[in-house]
Amino acid sequence: MNKTINGAYENYDQARNTWDDLIASGIPRDNIFIDEEAKVVKVSVPSETEREILEIFGRHKLH
């Protein structure tokens, strides 16, 4: 069963870099959506890959 996971960012570059990493990790493009205005990345993936997605999201947030 797929789950939608969201990652919010402070700027579009962070969101785009996350999108690039998700593609590089093998997530199909059709499963990833970027809301440019809200700077949110949404990914639809099987529940068992949630941890990997959250790790990728965390790489691009400001610390």
Side-chain angles (χ1 to χ4, degrees), residues 23-39:
I23 296 296
S25 74
I27 305 296
R29 291 175 192 264
D30 290 345
N31 292 22
I32 307 167
F33 172 77
I34 296 180
D35 181 332
E36 293 180 19
E37 186 175 320
K39 297 177 259 343

Side-chain angles (χ1 to χ4, degrees), residues 10 12-13 19-20 37-38 58 61:
E10 292 188 17
Y12 178 75
D13 289 337
W19 186 86
D20 289 339
E37 186 175 320
K61 294 194 178 201

